């Protein structure tokens, strides 16, 4: 990277005046129109163009929404429109302060997109009335930049993810510019603070550009913001340290709109010129795929402007413009307070609506002409409705990667390593389309997916050293940063703009993005009911290095609760898979990579483990999602005495080992082994589309026989899924009950009573008539536990007979 | 803040040589001893001092642990010891790379603390043997800097929280120095990236100091780190931008230990001199409590040293020292690979153990003398076992803050505002002890706890402006930053060092810290079994602005699932409360502020709501945690026909309104109203210490009558808690089923079928014999829903009869 250059400062100054007098007047009028429509949405039920004096009956009974951030968002949008037209840019707009929804709705209305996707909201006075009324109104639209908002890929309600979404959108979209407004409140969050470093992963030759605009409004809900209250010099150094070239626009006189527009236009021109120069230089290099690409110093804009700009200066004698008091609704109680009502009218009339809209209520043509046309409008850009651009992955035949499992439970594989070979081939086939990436927090190799790195590199535009692995590459498609937040944000941005991806993560630490998952699941749920939104590729998680095999790290790395978190979200968008071995993992992975509009969670171990099913068996089993393993059962299709159910690789191993012990000691006991791959099969079909009917469930689990269920995670989740089933009162679940440390794998299952010996005891204790006959075996099992523990504590390892155990009945 | 000064650079250079030849030799020997003991823990079962040639039988069968970060941690510890002795510092050590557990165990062993708390691990050869064997060994100790490690308040397994923990520890401990090592992997995480800004909240006069040491080892598990691969200039600017004065130590020749020690000692002296000067200047100011305090430019150290320093240079021809390959166990397969075994022996002998330990295996006295004494040892510092210092809060009588509720359900209060007055008094009484703080992401006022700001200010050491609220203050005790991660980290650090606190948060966004909660709950669970750890104050959450009243924000702000997440953790550390009104909230808040060693979750609304219980009733109700509201019931102590249960303020309102409708239409129907404050009462007493016995549960809920349960959150949680209860099959739960948007409060409950009309229908559908008699009312309820919805869609507000409803039966 080159030395840090001095950077220009764009305080408003007449010498930097890219706009002519006419352009100034027009852009200011456009801004006023957007501000007017924003205020109107928050306040008005009727009299939308103030054709008569404002009265209380024109005002909404409940005033909801956020004014503070909106005028800044509107100014940026107006200037971006100018730049798009001047430069024929392909651009989308991400509003980090997503609560500035009125602004984005107003702008997409002004440019015409809104009326195209919502024809009921026409471009006339009646349309404006409806536009105002529907905002934050029952039966209307949400207050944020929600999925309902054209051009949005970012709801922005939960702060912190705008910039990682922006970079995710830019990857592999070389012609795209993502204008990303970051609020100074959002900038205090952890995920946002980390995501500035995304510039070390953006390839100027192959990817698009992100233009971050830090909107320094100075205040959050009730406090100043940190970044607004450090010195200008510190602020500049911070962003230079993050690797950017900050260009500052500082609004010192809120009344001088000419100066403000000139300054912002000059800054935007400067930034866009810099981006064009960076891209041109990088793309002129024929070796653009190699490490030869140097990380550029991308521009960013620091835009210091008043919160609630152009709103009421004071309300009830208290400063409001430029203060936290304008965060939501600066004027309230309008039905009781005629002074406030007058203030609202004055405020709205200050935008001179009569100059902006014609007699019919349409935006005047000279203003309408300022917006870009067609898909160039940011509200209509197809990247922001990524399903429009989605191309199915070119999938290899996963059966080609099958492991040998002709005999059940004898050979071993590392399931994730097998998956890695499959993903390598997916990567190879789709590299020409540049629409598939893997993300993960530094764990691709640790999670044994390293084969992918034979097909592509790890994205890296920071410095390299001679001893580095050769797979660090500017055009790598495996993205690793030790920030689950950034990984998730990148992937969401990538998926939302119509591409595919796969996130592998330590199981325990996926909780770091619980809240991001929530927001994405809510987005998917909502978009299912928006006809113009096209389905996007699913968000696929592989959770590995799981609770049962945290040999190096222990208790802090043991938490299987992400599944519990996921199943609280709408059934039509979430799926959970627990493939018990390598071939089932392949089948599941193939399925999820072809799916759309879901969040798929796969939990699978990375350690060497027995192969239970041949590929044909695996496909049949995964297709059903749940099934009887007849080769392991002894009920011969009859009514069993007991059902041993299992979900997850380790529980399957222990269940099969328990089954083997029981078969040896009670050859006449009719055991049925049921394995669950698709966890949602357990729910009633009235609750989840994958749910079994009660008839099907009863056919597997019986209506009255004991069920001993060995589950990968917290045991009560199985009860939560099955409490309505006929035989629920005979269901006994073992799982992780929050006991663990750094110890051996078998000691871990013993600590949680999930071990084979305990499962045998559970069967003896529950099958009628077995208590007496089984007393001896029960004692033997207790002794075996003690022996296993004693051996482990002496030798620091599991008993050889446990480590080397294989299924003995073929 | 003063202008940015030029900063010194401490590349190793002979002109900066604070250490004499003797001191150099001693500190290096001490470092070698710590490194030796670290390697020994990872590898050896026996032959701890290499008194005989190393053979396979001396080596552990499973090699677990992390070497890479350890030598750096050890060097810092040794130099901190020197500084503590030289300056009589009161210091604790936080190891961000907590997987460097062997290093911290080694150092606390060398200083003697370890043998004091674990007498079985003596300071002789046998003690060293046991020390080695127990590490990451079944029945032994975890691999991380866990609660078992003396001097630790930070496990460090989940990366990102070291610095916020460090600042939390430093607040209100003016004489404490927190040495906080931040790994360059951890530095990529969001929470860590945000927490550098904690320096805007640290008061040099009243708080202690944090010395961050960024350990630039260059590599994560398999990748370079971002901060190690940006230019020196960018790195400096980044930390200058964050407000620090970086002092760099760069190890260019890993073999030149003299130079390394001199450079680090010089940097540490420089940093500690700067801290002393800052504190002296701030404390010389008599007006140290006011805004007069200027934010200083605190020093930090950037310590660029090789990963796995002093370990094997190469293994199998591949570079290992200074490479990611030394992250965990650089040499493996020792039982099969004699070359590796020889390499291990050479590596360990390179530390010259015979020079470090005497014939009995004790650390030589001239080295032992390098450690501080008594409580000055970082492993023995009482701040790191905060319960030792914990002083109970001086509590006002919460009854003094009661609201008038002599009649049930007629008067209204904003529960959080009432709580705010109580918290103000807690703040007033405890301000002299400086052991109580409120944290929250910019929501104290929004959550209507603003009364607290009458007693103290908002902590703020960044710039202020004339128009700011007067409550921004350098010595404020309300801490607001728009980072839930930082709030949580500060509070954890504050509690772990023996103080009290309270975290108020929007309900939906507490999920942002799901994973941090996990780690804290695990810490509490573990410490319950460590006798020398003293109980600390509970971590108290108030979740408000909850799912039912997100009027301004809608769907993205609606998620009541944190409770589901919490109840997965060990029953003996978690508590969940849903007080239905203001007086019960006061009673619960009083209880949790007096409790120890729990995580308490309180969910309560902030909007005006009916007061149900007088203070005496509230106390009785909260003491039981669950109970029949006889004044609302019509079963007159007899067997009821139906149980209407409720948990949470909005469900209680809807249940009581449904009860009123039912009473009017079916005066003979025996209705029992049960309200749940303490959610864990629903669990069996075998599962949770608060759980009701089956007998008690049956007495409340009957063994066979229909139960219609209106719950605040996801309804299936109630099933998960009660599936073992006799009457579970008659339990019907309503709650949030992930339907929402920006709409009216009553429309929200209707969207989720939790409204009074639907609850009446649920009763009609479930009480035997009511279907016919209730057919007319059922239709009326359906009509009422339609009417309510139509009104809302027309008027944008709820029906007056719903908004103004009050309990009519007194």
């Amino acid at each position: 990277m080159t030395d840090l250059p001095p950077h220009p400062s764009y305080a408003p100054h007449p010498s930097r005046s890219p706009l002519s007098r006419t352009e100034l007047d027009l852009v200011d009028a456009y801004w006023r129109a957007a501000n007017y429509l924003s205020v109107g949405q928050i306040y008005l039920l009727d009299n939308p163009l103030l054709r008569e004096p404002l009265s209380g009956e024109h005002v909404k009974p409940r005033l909801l929404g956020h004014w503070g951030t909106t005028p800044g968002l509107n100014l940026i949008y107006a200037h971006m429109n100018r730049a798009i037209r001047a430069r024929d840019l392909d651009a989308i707009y991400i509003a980090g302060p997503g609560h500035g929804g009125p602004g984005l709705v107003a702008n997409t209305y002004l440019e015409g997109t809104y009326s195209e996707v919502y024809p009921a909201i026409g471009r006339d006075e009646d349309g404006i009335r409806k536009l105002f009324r529907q905002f934050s109104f029952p039966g209307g639209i949400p207050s944020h930049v929600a999925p309902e908002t054209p051009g949005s890929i970012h709801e922005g309600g939960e702060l912190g993810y705008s910039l990682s979404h922006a970079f995710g959108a830019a990857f592999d979209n070389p012609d795209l510019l993502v204008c990303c407004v970051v609020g100074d409140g959002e900038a205090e969050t952890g995920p946002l603070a980390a995501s500035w470093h995304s510039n070390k992963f953006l390839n100027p030759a192959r990817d698009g550009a992100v233009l971050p605009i830090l909107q320094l409004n100075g205040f959050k809900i009730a406090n100043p913001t940190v970044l607004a209250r450090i010195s200008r010099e510190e602020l500049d150094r911070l962003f230079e340290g993050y690797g950017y070239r900050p260009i500052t626009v500082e609004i010192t006189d809120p009344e001088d709109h000419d100066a403000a527009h000139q300054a912002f236009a000059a800054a935007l021109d400067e930034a866009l010129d810099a981006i064009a120069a960076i891209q041109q230089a990088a793309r002129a290099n024929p070796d653009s795929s190699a490490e030869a690409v140097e990380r550029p110093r991308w521009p960013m804009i620091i835009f210091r402007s008043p919160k609630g700009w152009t709103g009421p200066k004071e309300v009830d004698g208290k400063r409001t413009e430029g203060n936290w008091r304008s965060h939501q609704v600066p004027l309230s109680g309008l039905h009781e307070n005629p002074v406030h009502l007058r203030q609202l009218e004055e405020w709205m009339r200050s935008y001179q609506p009569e100059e902006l809209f014609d007699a019919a209520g349409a935006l005047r043509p000279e203003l309408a002409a300022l917006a870009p046309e067609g898909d160039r409008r940011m509200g209509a850009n197809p990247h922001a409705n990524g399903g429009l651009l989605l191309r199915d992955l070119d999938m290899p035949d996963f059966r080609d990667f099958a492991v040998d499992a002709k005999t059940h439970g004898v050979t071993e594989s590392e399931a994730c390593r097998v998956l890695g070979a499959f993903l390598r081939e997916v990567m190879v086939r789709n590299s020409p389309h540049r629409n598939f990436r893997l993300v993960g927090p530094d764990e691709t190799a640790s999670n044994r997916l390293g084969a992918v790195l034979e097909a592509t590199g790890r994205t890296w535009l920071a410095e390299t050293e001679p001893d580095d692995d050769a797979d660090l590459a500017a055009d790598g498609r495996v993205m690793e940063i030790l920030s689950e937040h950034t990984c998730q944000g990148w992937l969401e941005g990538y998926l939302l703009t119509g591409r595919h991806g796969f996130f592998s993560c330590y199981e325990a630490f996926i909780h770091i993005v619980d809240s991001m998952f929530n927001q994405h699941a809510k987005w998917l749920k909502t978009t299912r009911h928006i006809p113009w939104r096209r389905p996007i590729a699913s968000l696929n998680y592989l959770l590995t290095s799981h609770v049962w095999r945290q040999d190096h790290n222990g208790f802090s790395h043991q938490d299987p609760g992400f599944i519990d978190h996921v199943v609280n979200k709408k059934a039509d968008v979430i799926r959970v898979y627990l493939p018990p071995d390598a071939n089932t993992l392949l089948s599941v992975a193939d399925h999820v990579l072809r799916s759309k509009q879901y969040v798929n969670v796969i939990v699978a171990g990375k350690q060497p483990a027995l192969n239970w099913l041949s590929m044909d068996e695996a496909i049949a089993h995964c297709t059903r999602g749940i099934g009887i393993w007849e080769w392991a059962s002894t009920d011969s299709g009859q009514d069993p005495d007991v059902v041993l159910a299992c979900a997850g690789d380790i529980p399957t191993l222990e269940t099969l080992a328990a089954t083997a012990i029981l078969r040896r000691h009670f050859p006449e006991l009719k055991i049925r082994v049921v394995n669950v791959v698709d966890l949602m099969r357990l729910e009633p079909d009235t609750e989840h589309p994958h749910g079994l009917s009660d008839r099907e469930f009863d056919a597997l689990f019986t209506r009255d026989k004991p069920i001993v269920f060995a589950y990968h995670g917290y045991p009560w989740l199985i009860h939560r899924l099955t409490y309505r089933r006929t035989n629920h009162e005979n269901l006994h679940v073992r799982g992780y009950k929050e006991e663990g440390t750094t110890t051996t794998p078998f000691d871990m299952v013993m600590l949680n009573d999930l071990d084979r010996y305990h499962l045998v005891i559970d069967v003896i204790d529950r099958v009628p008539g077995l208590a007496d006959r089984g007393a001896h075996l029960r004692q033997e099992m207790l002794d075996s536990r003690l022996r296993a523990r004693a051996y482990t504590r002496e030798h620091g390892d599991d008993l050889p007979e446990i480590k080397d155990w294989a299924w003995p009945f073929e």
Side-chain angles (χ1 to χ4, degrees), chain A residues 310-366:
Chain A
T310 72
K313 302 252 171 273
E314 286 194 354
V315 177
D316 301 332
K318 289 182 175 160
R319 181 170 169 186
T320 302
E321 186 192 44
N323 188 277
W324 58 263
R325 292 186 192 88
S326 56
H327 180 71
Q328 285 183 339
V329 179
L331 294 163
S332 58
L334 304 194
H335 293 93
E336 300 81 40
N337 188 330
V339 175
H340 284 193
L341 186 67
R342 284 287 74 73
Q343 261 191 294
L344 173 62
E345 181 164 2
E346 282 165 27
W347 173 16
M348 293 194 73
R349 289 200 190 278
S350 76
Y351 299 119
Q352 298 162 285
E354 66 285 357
E355 293 183 3
L356 309 172
F357 302 96
D358 67 17
L363 186 66
R364 289 185 185 277
E366 67 274 22

Side-chain angles (χ1 to χ4, degrees), chain A residues 203-206 275-289 292-294 296 298 461:
Chain A
N203 182 338
R206 297 288 195 94
I275 288 170
I278 287 168
Q279 290 181 332
Q280 200 169 13
R283 293 167 194 187
N285 176 359
D287 189 16
S288 68
S289 67
V293 178
E294 197 180 336
W298 295 97
L461 283 103

Side-chain angles (χ1 to χ4, degrees), chain A residues 58-88:
Chain A
H58 302 140
V59 176
K60 296 185 179 184
R62 303 168 73 243
L63 299 173
L64 304 171
H66 297 82
W67 165 248
T69 189
T70 301
L73 294 176
N74 287 343
L75 185 134
I76 295 166
Y77 206 104
H79 282 261
M80 277 297 296
N81 280 346
R82 168 182 167 269
I84 290 167
R85 295 183 72 248
R87 296 163 187 255
D88 191 28

